[in-house]
Amino acid sequence: MKELAVDGVPVTVTCRVLRLARQPYYRWLDRPVTDAGLEEAYRANALFDAHREDPEFGYRFLADEARDAGAVMTDRTAWRICRDNRWWSVFGKGRGRTKKAGPPVHDDLVGPDFTAHGPNRLWLADITEHATAWIPAVVATPTGSGVHDGSRSSRRIEA
């Protein structure tokens, strides 16, 4: 934004377009990197150097290596930095890896032929659900059997 101000664009207009408040911008302009941010960057750099040398180490060993290099931090801080940067041990658990579905475990025994060779021989693909006390029962009915062919408007099936 300094470049825009040099070119003659007011800071207030730039902040309004970028939807930033002016006060944090001027605070950042006064001190662009905070002391805490700089310290965390040094810690992350020490952890990364240790991780690059020994990728099989977990965060506790990486924290020990970083402490030996001069970056003072707790194990919890080392864990948070490693987690945020996704620096895992090569021997750790797989994260976010999902297996693809394999081939079907059985053959399709239904068969796609639904032609009627005579009366009362065609089963519809329409499945009717009937409410029961505990478990909903699903019943498929043959056509022309008179049990439930759509001519009745009752919700109860009579045998």
Side-chain angles (χ1 to χ4, degrees), residues 79-115:
W79 173 82
R80 184 181 49 78
I81 293 171
C82 289
R83 181 205 59 197
D84 291 345
N85 293 301
R86 296 178 184 235
W87 296 331
W88 310 114
S89 169
V90 293
F91 298 120
K93 299 177 191 173
R95 286 166 173 72
R97 297 182 196 147
T98 57
K99 291 184 176 182
K100 292 185 178 180
V105 293
H106 57 80
D107 295 331
D108 185 14
L109 301 177
V110 175
D113 187 19
F114 292 107
T115 57

Side-chain angles (χ1 to χ4, degrees), residues 21-34:
R22 281 183 292 151
Q23 184 178 7
Y25 166 70
Y26 284 117
R27 192 179 321 133
W28 172 81
L29 194 58
D30 183 43
R31 186 170 196 112
V33 178
T34 63

Side-chain angles (χ1 to χ4, degrees), residues 20-139:
L20 296 173
R22 281 183 292 151
Q23 184 178 7
Y25 166 70
Y26 284 117
R27 192 179 321 133
W28 172 81
L29 194 58
D30 183 43
R31 186 170 196 112
V33 178
T34 63
D35 293 335
L38 187 62
E39 184 67 27
E40 184 168 339
Y42 285 134
R43 290 173 178 167
N45 191 30
L47 286 171
F48 181 71
D49 289 342
H51 178 68
R52 190 174 42 202
E53 290 173 10
D54 297 312
E56 67 273 3
F57 283 176
Y59 72 92
R60 289 187 181 113
F61 289 114
L62 292 179
D64 291 339
E65 292 288 322
R67 280 189 213 106
D68 292 342
V72 180
M73 71 184 92
T74 63
D75 285 347
R76 173 72 178 159
T77 303
W79 173 82
R80 184 181 49 78
I81 293 171
C82 289
R83 181 205 59 197
D84 291 345
N85 293 301
R86 296 178 184 235
W87 296 331
W88 310 114
S89 169
V90 293
F91 298 120
K93 299 177 191 173
R95 286 166 173 72
R97 297 182 196 147
T98 57
K99 291 184 176 182
K100 292 185 178 180
V105 293
H106 57 80
D107 295 331
D108 185 14
L109 301 177
V110 175
D113 187 19
F114 292 107
T115 57
H117 300 292
N120 295 333
R121 297 289 181 217
L122 175 65
W123 286 79
L124 295 176
D126 185 21
I127 297 176
T128 308
E129 183 177 336
H130 303 284
T132 59
W134 295 97
I135 302 170
V138 177
V139 178

Side-chain angles (χ1 to χ4, degrees), residues 5-27:
V6 170
D7 291 339
V9 179
V11 173
T12 55
V13 173
T14 306
C15 288
R16 189 178 319 126
V17 169
L18 294 175
R19 295 185 178 172
L20 296 173
R22 281 183 292 151
Q23 184 178 7
Y25 166 70
Y26 284 117
R27 192 179 321 133

